[in-house]
Amino acid sequence: DTSPSQLGHSTGEFANGVLSITTSNLTESLGVLARNAPGSAQRTITEVYQLTGAGRRISGTITIEDPLFLTQEIETSVNLVRASEGSEVLSFPCDVESSQRYLD
C-alpha cells in the first residue's frame, strides 16, 4: 500500500547466497534508460547479486521491463571488486547547480 514514487517500492529476498531485489510502483520519468529516454509507471526493475571470488567480488544483473516503452527486457551485468586493504577513497565536492541540469 505505497504511493508510486520516483524510487518505487522495493522488496528483497536472500536465499542460497543470492540477493534478489524487485522494484515496482514507480512513477513515469525521463532519463530512466538513458538521457531523456522515458520510463513508464508500468516498469519493473529486478536486481540479482551474489558474492564471488572468495567474497571479494559482487556479480549480478539488472533487468528492466517496461511494456509501454520496450519491446523486450533490457539486461545489464554488474561486477564490483572490493578495494584492497588500505585503499584511499578520495572525496570530490559536488556542484549541485551543475548536476541539476541532468535531472530535467
Side-chain angles (χ1 to χ4, degrees), residues 50-99:
Q50 63 183 8
L51 288 175
T52 60
R56 297 201 48 83
R57 297 179 183 273
I58 296 175
S59 298
T61 59
I62 300 172
T63 305
I64 301 172
E65 297 176 74
D66 190 337
L68 195 60
F69 291 110
L70 298 174
T71 57
Q72 63 186 38
E73 64 187 33
I74 294 175
E75 184 174 292
T76 187
S77 58
V78 176
N79 293 295
L80 305 172
V81 179
R82 185 177 183 144
S84 301
E85 189 71 34
S87 294
E88 185 178 349
V89 177
L90 301 175
S91 177
F92 291 93
C94 176
D95 181 346
V96 176
E97 188 175 317
S98 294
S99 63

Side-chain angles (χ1 to χ4, degrees), residues 31-50:
V32 174
L33 304 174
R35 185 168 166 78
N36 296 326
S40 78
Q42 297 177 34
R43 76 184 178 283
T44 301
I45 303 167
T46 304
E47 303 167 72
V48 178
Y49 303 104
Q50 63 183 8

Side-chain angles (χ1 to χ4, degrees), residues 21-37:
I21 304 164
T22 302
T23 303
S24 58
N25 211 17
L26 295 148
T27 54
E28 272 188 40
S29 61
L30 292 176
V32 174
L33 304 174
R35 185 168 166 78
N36 296 326

